[in-house]
Amino acid sequence: MAGKKNFPLRLDPALYEILERWAADELRSVNGHIEFLLRDAAQRAGRLPGRTSAKMPGPRSEDE
């Protein structure tokens, strides 16, 4: 499995705070939530062919 690509991302501090709260609500790290949102957007736009063998993380249920 290939490693993940690292790169700096500059965000407006207010947007980062929103993402931080949203990620906490979904029980994810900010980085994990940004990746989830980008993957979801790419799939909805038809840029990501279906679900691959790598499972896309989704919302977690309360019993997890």
Side-chain angles (χ1 to χ4, degrees):
M1 180 168 129
K4 293 196 175 201
K5 174 80 174 164
N6 295 322
F7 68 97
L9 177 63
R10 290 173 292 283
L11 296 173
D12 178 271
L15 177 58
Y16 185 85
E17 288 179 21
I18 291 166
L19 288 168
E20 196 170 34
R21 287 191 306 271
W22 191 2
D25 290 346
E26 300 289 327
L27 303 174
R28 292 189 183 98
S29 67
V30 173
N31 186 74
H33 197 60
I34 290 170
E35 186 173 0
F36 169 79
L37 293 171
L38 289 172
R39 186 180 304 276
D40 184 56
Q43 190 171 18
R44 287 174 189 249
R47 302 285 182 153
L48 188 67
R51 289 194 182 211
T52 61
S53 59
K55 187 177 178 187
M56 184 173 74
R60 296 181 181 176
S61 66
E62 289 183 15
D63 51 34
E64 281 188 74

